[in-house]
Amino acid sequence: MSSQSGTARPGRAPGPARPLLTARWENLIAVTYPVAEELLAPHVPPGVEVDRLGGEARVSLVAFDFTRTRLYGLAIPGHTRFPEINLRFYVRDGDDRGIVFIREFVPRRAVAVVARIRYNEPYRRIPMRSAVRPAGRSGERLRVTHAFAGGSSRVTAEVDARGALPAEGSDERWLTHQEFGFGRTRRGARRRYRVEHPVWPLHPVRELALDVDFAGLYGPEWAFLGDSEPSHVTFAAGSAVALFPPAG
């Protein structure tokens, strides 16, 4: 994957862009559903199209933890570790695959405000917490919980402690590895940013408990997800990530 270029100095080749944000994304639970494409149409940025898995559009509810967060290399006190939960779908820009967020929630007000004002990302603040604990005495499984909206919504998964890389061309690889994010500027133009992380090993999910107020969090048009059967459930322990400044 080619790097975006920064401003070149006279007589020097341009270097790679500096990451806007570096962090670790950890304990990622993703619950995926097939959806009608007309639900996604209001959220599709210009110049991209909905990507499909098995001929169907998909949305994923993704809960995870930010840790070791740095903004242009600087740690902001009180804002280096926090959970996030988002609802996203999958798009394509030519051969480049990426995601679009319908809404993102974090417990830090400053994170939500900066992302919304500076980058027009659909962030909101709600109370959230997360925990990872051993499941049973063997140490072979983990219980991962993400609770949010004052505890009225909760995602809990019991997963194997060990994972394996998803096969090239598998549904799980399609769902968990994209190189770009897309959104809109306040003027409605497309905004595109690059995300770098390795392909994540995925851990078998043995149990899932999902109690989410989809209508309250994302709008009444998403209420049906509360009664829908997921097509895929994945868990990744995660890794370091780098997000690069948005471009057109």
Side-chain angles (χ1 to χ4, degrees), residues 52-192:
R52 302 169 187 84
L53 177 62
E56 294 183 289
R58 310 280 170 155
V59 298
S60 296
L61 180 77
V62 182
F64 67 102
D65 292 314
F66 268 93
T67 67
R68 305 182 193 178
T69 307
R70 302 288 189 273
L71 186 64
Y72 284 119
L74 299 176
I76 309 301
H79 294 79
T80 60
R81 184 182 184 93
F82 52 90
E84 175 176 321
I85 188 162
N86 61 62
L87 189 66
R88 71 186 196 182
F89 64 99
Y90 304 89
V91 296
R92 182 178 292 277
D93 176 18
D95 292 331
D96 294 333
R97 295 190 55 245
I99 60 172
V100 175
F101 293 108
I102 294 169
R103 190 164 294 163
E104 302 162 85
F105 291 105
V106 290
R108 298 288 187 262
R109 189 180 305 278
V111 173
V113 169
V114 170
R116 203 165 53 236
I117 293 176
R118 179 67 179 85
Y119 298 107
N120 201 36
E121 285 290 318
Y123 269 90
R124 295 188 183 180
R125 176 196 174 273
I126 57 173
M128 299 177 63
R129 56 186 175 85
S130 62
V132 180
R133 297 183 177 90
R137 298 181 179 179
S138 68
E140 295 181 355
R141 290 190 184 181
L142 302 172
R143 183 173 295 276
V144 183
T145 300
H146 294 273
F148 43 102
S152 63
S153 291
R154 181 182 298 264
V155 181
T156 300
E158 189 168 307
V159 305
D160 286 2
R162 295 183 180 181
L165 289 174
E168 184 75 41
S170 65
D171 289 2
E172 290 75 17
R173 182 82 162 252
W174 190 95
L175 288 164
T176 58
H177 194 73
Q178 300 85 29
E179 294 182 340
F180 297 95
F182 295 92
R184 284 192 181 101
T185 68
R186 293 192 177 278
R187 295 184 177 182
R190 184 185 72 170
R191 175 169 278 155
R192 164 177 159 143

Side-chain angles (χ1 to χ4, degrees), residues 20-45:
L20 165 67
L21 181 143
T22 59
R24 289 188 63 86
W25 289 349
E26 299 179 343
N27 309 316
L28 299 100
I29 303 173
V31 185
T32 299
Y33 303 87
V35 295
E37 288 190 31
E38 54 262 30
L39 276 174
L40 305 178
H43 305 280
V44 178

Side-chain angles (χ1 to χ4, degrees), residues 1 25 28 176-179 195-200 238-242:
M1 179 173 57
W25 289 349
L28 299 100
T176 58
H177 194 73
Q178 300 85 29
E179 294 182 340
V195 183
E196 286 188 354
H197 65 76
V199 176
W200 290 321
S239 70
V241 299

